[in-house]
Amino acid sequence: MFEIETVEIMGGNFEMGSSFEEINDYISLFSYAFNDFPKTQVQSWFLKQIPKIKTSVTSFHLGIHQITNIQYLEFEQAVFGKNSISNIENPMCPVEGVTFCNALAFCEWMSKVSNHIYRLPTEVEWEFAASSRGQYIWAHLGVGGGGRRLKITPLGKQVIKATIDPGQT
């Protein structure tokens, strides 16, 4: 049995969503990812983030690492008696293609076998954690960024520094 390492995310108040200006900044910053799409189509994907709303979140715990193929395989074999993972040749890579229902079942199974309560984060919790309380965002750069993450540090609404953090992969 494996443990899921978590970190406590201290709750607080924050603005959820994006402004139209921020959406245009994101589109410009990550333009390489949107080259095959018209700008208006890309903007429409982000428009559901408008307007920003003030909200709050209580403290919660979040897993530090993604669930790996080998961890998910342990769950599948214990609960379903089978393996549906297609990428098992890479056991330490994050599991992919998990349905929402199976993600819930994984959390329920982990809760039973570990005597801890596991659940999926809410949308507000996820956005709060991903935005680091509005201090910076992490974006996976995929192939173009070498699998590293981009740390963007904003000052107010203006991005003043964007750096690749090689320590995060």
Side-chain angles (χ1 to χ4, degrees), residues 111-127:
S111 296
K112 286 179 184 174
V113 299
S114 69
N115 292 319
H116 298 289
I117 297 174
Y118 289 94
R119 63 176 176 80
L120 298 175
T122 66
E123 182 179 0
V124 173
E125 289 170 338
W126 182 253
E127 189 159 336

Side-chain angles (χ1 to χ4, degrees), residues 32 86-87 122 126:
Y32 66 87
S86 61
N87 192 21
T122 66
W126 182 253

Side-chain angles (χ1 to χ4, degrees), residues 133-154:
R133 302 175 64 168
Q135 296 170 12
Y136 55 86
I137 63 168
W138 289 98
H140 190 272
L141 296 178
V143 176
R148 296 171 293 177
R149 294 181 182 193
L150 179 68
K151 182 177 180 181
I152 303 171
T153 308

Side-chain angles (χ1 to χ4, degrees), residues 1-6 62-76 85 87-88 90-99 102-111 113-114 118-121 126 149:
M1 184 62 215
F2 58 90
E3 291 290 322
I4 295 178
E5 188 177 357
T6 63
L62 191 65
I64 293 175
H65 306 287
Q66 297 175 352
I67 301 302
T68 64
N69 286 318
I70 197 73
Q71 290 171 323
Y72 192 77
L73 176 63
E74 187 175 334
F75 153 72
E76 279 196 319
I85 299 173
N87 192 21
I88 198 59
N90 297 308
M92 299 311 292
C93 287
V95 67
E96 297 176 346
V98 175
T99 66
N102 281 357
L104 292 175
F106 178 86
C107 292
E108 184 178 320
W109 173 76
M110 278 300 299
S111 296
V113 299
S114 69
Y118 289 94
R119 63 176 176 80
L120 298 175
W126 182 253
R149 294 181 182 193

